[in-house]
Amino acid sequence: MAKKRATATKTKAPTKGHGASGGTAGEAVPVVGAREPCPCGSGRRYKACHGREAAHAVTELVRRPFEGLPGECDWVALRELVPAATVPLTLKDPLPEGVPSVTLGTVLPMAWPGLRRDTGAVLLGLQNDAASGDISRDLADTLLRALAAEPGNPVEGRRPAQDGRRLQDLLDLDAPFVPEVHSGFEFWLEDADAATGEVAASLERANQAAIPTVRLTGVDAAYWCETPEKNHLRWVMPHPEEQLLDALARLHAAGVSSLGDGTRLVGSFRAHGLVVPVWDLPVGMGADEVEKPAAAFGERLSETLARTEPLTAEERRARSGFTNRQITLS
């Protein structure tokens, strides 16, 4: 059920003297070895001074980092499920001079967190390791640095300041968020057809690693994917977890949790605070064939979510089965 990302070589982590831990207000304190003197001049070791704040920032996980953003469920899907996709982003403030556009991409070449193209356009990578416990703050920090970067340069990862801005502070929350799923990573290049040599070979390797994926059009944040053994539908849902699991259990106990002959609701996983039910589909069942059954299931689910009576014994058993098979990706 986990995502299969494109193979790419990650850039090295910032070395001594680079990056920031979010130390004193208005001043970035460089990250150094835990036993070295803290660069702030306190005379204490880094781990006992600003390193303590940095460690706290890393371990304090924001459970729903994309909450409040338009398309929260799609943000989760692009982070965890979809190999290749892009979304144009609209900022609250006007774009800086020389920046024609900002685009979110699932993953960028060399796994760069961000990239300023030669044209000045900005690409922001979503599927990168988090430097802190708040992916939204990590992405916002990368975005701000990409906007200010010289054209033709990548933006490397670093730990953001603890009080740094988040995506919710930077993006226009009224703008639509509609992903475009791609069959490959040609969006990395402004003219992929002209790629030659190692660039073309790297692109081909990345494309071969991408699982074919399609976003359904009739329901929100549901993604069909094709694997050699069977196909799947993975549907990121916004409903409160306990309420959703109760509803899924009711539908399963009633024998109406499938999406048609040969399909089966096999469980769910939790990602960034949201639940993602997963169905097994027969090989050969394409995304178009899933559209109507998924829409019908969505209607059944909406009706069932409104029920508040206690679960029956059979429904409790079904719920227990879902819970025992649930995994957490974040």
Side-chain angles (χ1 to χ4, degrees):
M1 288 184 288
K3 58 181 175 291
K4 181 178 180 182
R5 292 179 180 165
T7 54
T9 303
K10 292 203 171 188
T11 54
K12 293 182 179 179
T15 55
K16 177 181 174 180
H18 294 75
S21 66
T24 56
E27 182 181 359
V29 177
V31 176
V32 300
R35 295 182 178 275
E36 295 183 65
C38 188
C40 75
S42 66
R44 292 183 291 171
R45 291 180 177 178
Y46 178 70
K47 71 175 184 178
C49 190
H50 282 90
R52 181 179 298 170
E53 299 176 10
H56 178 71
V58 169
T59 57
E60 188 175 6
L61 180 68
V62 175
R63 183 169 175 268
R64 287 178 62 180
F66 307 117
E67 185 176 16
L69 292 175
E72 178 188 6
C73 295
D74 281 305
W75 278 92
V76 172
L78 266 57
R79 168 78 182 180
E80 299 298 338
L81 305 178
V82 183
T86 55
V87 187
L89 298 179
T90 304
L91 276 58
K92 289 181 179 178
D93 298 328
L95 292 175
E97 184 177 355
V99 180
S101 63
V102 175
T103 302
L104 180 73
T106 45
V107 64
L108 303 187
M110 302 297 293
W112 285 321
L115 175 65
R116 182 89 184 272
R117 291 190 188 276
D118 291 336
T119 60
V122 166
L123 291 180
L124 179 65
L126 181 56
Q127 293 181 11
N128 292 289
D129 293 336
S132 75
D134 185 355
I135 298 170
S136 177
R137 184 168 283 111
D138 289 344
L139 290 168
D141 179 75
T142 299
L143 175 55
L144 289 172
R145 290 185 291 125
L147 291 170
E150 290 294 323
N153 285 281
V155 176
E156 295 188 352
R158 74 173 188 184
R159 183 182 299 122
Q162 289 179 259
D163 59 351
R165 300 171 74 183
R166 309 178 72 237
L167 288 176
Q168 289 82 347
D169 303 317
L170 301 180
L171 300 183
D172 182 351
L173 302 184
D174 294 324
F177 186 86
V178 182
E180 179 182 358
V181 178
H182 305 285
S183 59
F185 295 90
E186 282 75 15
F187 69 86
W188 285 354
L189 307 173
E190 293 183 317
D191 186 5
D193 292 336
T196 59
E198 180 55 33
V199 173
S202 177
L203 183 61
E204 183 179 359
R205 288 193 298 269
N207 287 346
Q208 288 175 348
I211 294 175
T213 302
V214 176
R215 182 178 185 266
L216 300 192
T217 59
V219 295
D220 293 332
Y223 290 80
W224 169 95
C225 70
E226 180 182 28
T227 66
E229 296 80 17
K230 61 186 68 175
N231 297 345
H232 304 280
L233 182 72
R234 300 176 289 187
W235 191 342
V236 187
M237 295 187 172
H239 316 292
E241 180 172 342
E242 297 302 315
Q243 182 185 11
L244 176 56
L245 291 176
D246 281 354
L248 292 175
R250 295 184 198 276
L251 292 171
H252 193 71
V256 291
S257 63
S258 76
L259 300 175
D261 292 341
T263 72
R264 185 167 68 98
L265 176 62
V266 293
S268 66
F269 58 88
R270 185 188 299 110
H272 307 291
L274 299 181
V275 175
V276 186
V278 179
W279 285 261
D280 280 352
L281 310 173
V283 173
M285 186 176 189
D288 290 344
E289 298 172 79
V290 184
E291 289 280 7
K292 287 185 178 180
F297 178 87
E299 294 178 0
R300 296 196 299 273
L301 179 64
S302 294
E303 295 172 357
T304 308
L305 285 166
R307 295 171 56 181
T308 57
E309 73 272 18
L311 298 178
T312 66
E314 186 177 1
E315 290 167 348
R316 288 197 301 271
R317 285 193 294 272
R319 193 186 194 284
S320 178
F322 288 138
T323 303
N324 292 337
R325 294 192 299 271
Q326 189 179 57
I327 61 174
T328 300
L329 297 185
S330 58

